[in-house]
Amino acid sequence: ASRTHAEVYPPSMGDIPPSPTIYVNNLNEKTKKDELKKSLQAIFSQFGKIIDIVAAKSYKLRGQAWVVFADVASATEAMRAMQGFPFYDKPMRITYAKTKSDATAKQEGSFDPKARDPETRAKRKAESQTAEKESQAAKAERDAAAGVPAKIRTDPSAPPNEILFVQGLPEATTAAMLSMLFQQFPGFKEVRMVEAKPGIAFVEFETDTQASVALSGLQGFKINPTHSMTLAFAAK
């Protein structure tokens, strides 16, 4: 469960039975689909293995998404812990999904391939991921050629100040994802990613005291099962 906010149990869900898929709504409709899915992956993967995230671009389906976990226990824990979580400035509303997801049906062997075209979806997803990785690699080469320093000066014994140095981030982390985590703390100003060196960022607060509170609250926060954030005061 998250260490950064109080656990709020979900409202009554009537006759919807427990499911490995959770339905998330009241999401910010202005958030782009790809960014939304990455952000959902970042905050929900701490509760268990995610096998799919579904979000649509159509106007009718904006503001909602489905997160498919490998088991019901993970979905239940995620729903209880993240109910009402401020996600892009709007509290999430979460229930179990009413219908079984494609991913779950595939695992159980009950998926009907005639109803969907999963091969096309998988192919497009793979192409998109490959293009994104190539784009990141090309940008890193451009930055290196332009003389952007690959190393960032840090000092573990740096005195408290208003800027935090964050490391241990997954490469896909965006400023929007980190802003979502840090904006829960008073005095938050901005997130600055270091594009030449993925996995690190700087987060600025109004005062060193406010930065200290955030450092304590998010130290060791698991963004996903393999990445835990490490926070320190930035060296000046």
Side-chain angles (χ1 to χ4, degrees):
S2 172
R3 297 160 35 194
T4 62
H5 58 281
E7 180 172 278
V8 180
Y9 284 81
S12 172
M13 289 166 288
D15 299 324
I16 304 176
S19 164
T21 302
I22 56 174
Y23 168 62
V24 187
N25 69 349
N26 197 41
L27 300 174
N28 193 317
E29 297 180 359
K30 295 180 181 179
T31 308
K32 293 182 178 179
K33 177 186 171 183
D34 290 343
E35 182 179 323
L36 175 65
K37 292 178 72 171
K38 286 181 181 178
S39 298
L40 289 172
Q41 177 79 33
I43 64 170
F44 280 111
S45 58
Q46 60 183 302
F47 300 104
K49 181 181 179 182
I50 294 175
I51 57 178
D52 197 14
I53 294 178
V54 180
K57 291 182 178 179
S58 67
Y59 183 81
K60 183 179 179 182
L61 295 177
R62 281 182 186 173
Q64 53 192 311
W66 289 261
V67 180
V68 187
F69 287 93
D71 55 75
V72 174
S74 297
T76 301
E77 184 182 0
M79 181 172 63
R80 289 178 173 174
M82 303 302 285
Q83 190 71 245
F85 183 86
F87 188 74
Y88 290 103
D89 299 322
K90 295 183 70 174
M92 291 192 290
R93 296 195 192 115
I94 309 173
T95 64
Y96 292 118
K98 292 181 180 179
T99 57
K100 185 183 298 183
S101 73
D102 288 354
T104 302
K106 289 176 191 175
Q107 279 199 328
E108 296 176 352
S110 58
F111 179 70
D112 179 6
K114 294 179 182 178
R116 301 288 172 90
D117 187 6
E119 290 184 2
T120 300
R121 286 173 56 189
K123 185 178 179 181
R124 287 177 180 172
K125 183 176 181 181
E127 289 174 349
S128 176
Q129 290 175 339
T130 300
E132 184 176 350
K133 288 180 180 178
E134 290 175 351
S135 176
Q136 290 177 346
K139 182 165 181 51
E141 290 178 2
R142 288 198 304 272
D143 287 340
V148 176
K151 293 185 178 180
I152 304 298
R153 180 172 166 262
T154 59
D155 181 357
S157 61
N161 62 80
E162 69 277 11
I163 300 176
L164 297 178
F165 172 66
V166 186
Q167 53 187 333
L169 303 171
E171 284 193 18
T173 304
T174 65
M177 291 181 195
L178 286 181
S179 295
M180 184 180 62
L181 289 174
F182 282 96
Q183 69 185 8
Q184 303 169 76
F185 297 93
F188 169 75
K189 288 182 68 177
E190 67 172 344
V191 168
R192 294 195 294 275
M193 305 300 292
V194 182
E195 294 181 347
K197 192 170 178 64
I200 66 174
F202 291 94
V203 182
E204 185 174 355
F205 283 82
E206 297 283 354
T207 68
D208 58 354
T209 302
Q210 291 168 332
S212 296
V213 173
L215 184 149
S216 299
L218 288 175
Q219 187 69 268
F221 182 86
K222 293 195 74 171
I223 287 189
N224 63 33
T226 58
H227 291 77
S228 297
M229 291 197 301
T230 301
L231 281 69
F233 292 108
K236 290 193 168 183

